[in-house]
Amino acid sequence: MKEVVIHIGTHKTGTSSIQHALRGYKDETTRVASFEEENHSIPIFTIFSENRYHYHIWRKLNLDTDAIDARRAEYLDILEADLADDRYDRLIISGEDISILTPSEKSNLIRHIKSKGVDVSVIVFTRSPMGFACSASQQRAKGGAKTWTPVNVNYRYKIDPFLEELGRQKIVVCDYDYIINSDQSVVDYFSDLVGINLRAKESKNESVSVQALALIYKVNNIPLAVLGDVRKWKIRQKLVAMIIEIFPPIPASSRLNPDHFSSLLDPTTKDDCLWLESIFGISYRYHVEVEDDLNAWLEESLSDYQNQLSELFSKFGTSYDPKRSLEENFLEAFFALFIHENGLFDSDAEYLLDVAEKIVAKADLETRDALSLMKLASRARPGEQSIRQRIDQLSLATDPTHQK
């Protein structure tokens, strides 16, 4: 191998589309890295980051340090074999999390590759601060965020260590905003830039409408913990998917205006933008004054959509009550969907029939009847502590050997 081209994203600049198109790519002179993952963030971060044991990918999989070390060894073997492969002149590595390696980790990556006698160049896609803040906020909302999070573009942190190791001539920085406004796909632009022939695969537009974003935040703020519970998270995702369907970003007035996200930008954004322009000639606005703040703008966006809200809640099997808060309406919809999705068991039917017959016969209800009904209530409101405590009390009353 004579050269490695490292594409470091950055985040929210069409990196996933590029990686999907690159998967398995080979031609006479160029090939993509042999890692199993499309996103090379995972292997490269695992090899070179000192923070690998806390990497979000491995935390989600609950891997211990030994398992992570084993993965690292496998990834390093693959990288070494790729660098030693003399059948090709160029190797392409693509991973947006490479941009968030620490400066010393980035240096170690570059020096490791160069120690094999291989040249290195880096490709970076940047996005305007407001555009990045808008896209990142949508992603965080879909992920369950309850509040707005400050956004830092970190252009200098992401690029400067590569600049110091390789020099200006080995760094190519591309303006994502310019690309998407020029009727050319990010994949085609990358393909032309690198001089390979990638086939752009159709990708779904992930952008949501103003109204949808406002409603997703309402769902995120219902008084019910859903993170960590697969069944409840599945219901939450159904709510979000239906919101996006009923409130698409059409017409144009329903589309998110990135300027409204200016208030989320970290104060260091100005310095980052000035640095980027001075080195690479890419100029971005770093602050915009808007009439309404972000929350007021989103709240106002729902004022003329009462009919659509009624349609939305009818899809959940409930009715929209404008006298109640949207959070309360969504909580009711959540319970309705949860019961519909999880259904009643045969044993539940037995409980209900038994209690109903006793009521008709005017027979005395027993503690075990209350326990049966309380268990049904727990199924409708999974995780509610007061119900769980009542079940423990009733279970102890019916069975003294019951353990909490």
Side-chain angles (χ1 to χ4, degrees), residues 120-339:
V120 184
S121 60
V122 172
I123 295 175
V124 189
F125 284 67
T126 59
R127 187 169 187 168
S128 67
M130 270 76 81
F132 177 71
C134 178
S135 182
S137 296
Q138 291 178 71
Q139 184 180 35
R140 291 167 182 171
K142 291 175 184 177
K146 295 177 180 290
T147 59
W148 303 111
T149 306
V151 175
N152 197 326
V153 291
N154 278 328
Y155 300 135
R156 187 166 190 169
Y157 179 88
K158 293 173 180 177
I159 303 171
D160 201 34
F162 294 114
L163 197 62
E164 292 183 5
E165 286 291 331
L166 298 171
R168 173 67 180 83
Q169 71 278 6
K170 291 293 185 179
I171 312 293
V172 178
V173 179
C174 311
D175 180 3
Y176 174 80
D177 294 58
Y178 169 79
I179 298 167
I180 62 174
N181 289 320
S182 64
D183 295 327
Q184 187 178 23
S185 75
V186 174
V187 172
D188 289 340
Y189 188 92
F190 181 87
S191 185
D192 291 344
L193 180 65
V194 180
I196 58 178
N197 185 22
L198 294 179
R199 180 177 298 176
K201 299 176 175 64
E202 185 176 349
S203 60
K204 182 181 178 182
N205 186 354
E206 299 291 339
S207 187
V208 302
S209 67
V210 185
Q211 295 76 24
L213 185 61
L215 292 170
I216 291 170
Y217 267 100
K218 298 292 186 183
V219 169
N220 293 348
N221 282 282
I222 62 175
L224 181 70
V226 298
L227 293 176
D229 187 310
V230 174
R231 293 185 304 165
K232 288 190 284 186
W233 183 256
K234 181 180 176 182
I235 299 302
R236 185 260 178 200
Q237 294 297 79
K238 284 183 176 289
L239 289 174
V240 170
M242 190 59 68
I243 287 170
I244 293 172
E245 179 182 329
I246 299 295
F247 293 87
I250 302 170
S253 59
S254 292
R255 296 173 189 165
L256 291 168
N257 180 354
D259 287 355
H260 278 90
F261 295 82
S262 174
S263 61
L264 299 181
L265 293 171
D266 188 269
T268 61
T269 300
K270 177 180 178 180
D271 291 338
D272 261 312
C273 288
L274 294 176
W275 177 85
L276 186 70
E277 184 176 12
S278 68
I279 305 295
F280 297 100
I282 296 176
S283 179
Y284 290 136
R285 295 181 303 159
Y286 43 81
H287 182 72
V288 176
E289 292 290 345
V290 291
E291 184 175 344
D292 296 322
D293 70 20
L294 186 54
N295 289 317
W297 175 57
L298 290 174
E299 200 70 37
E300 177 63 24
S301 74
L302 298 172
S303 60
D304 296 326
Y305 284 83
Q306 299 303 303
N307 290 338
Q308 287 90 334
L309 286 171
S310 295
E311 179 187 357
L312 174 66
F313 283 96
S314 70
K315 298 284 187 182
F316 307 141
T318 61
S319 298
Y320 171 57
D321 182 357
K323 296 179 181 179
R324 303 165 66 197
S325 71
L326 279 164
E327 288 86 350
E328 290 174 314
N329 278 278
F330 277 121
L331 187 61
E332 181 181 353
F334 184 95
F335 290 146
L337 275 178
F338 189 90
I339 293 173

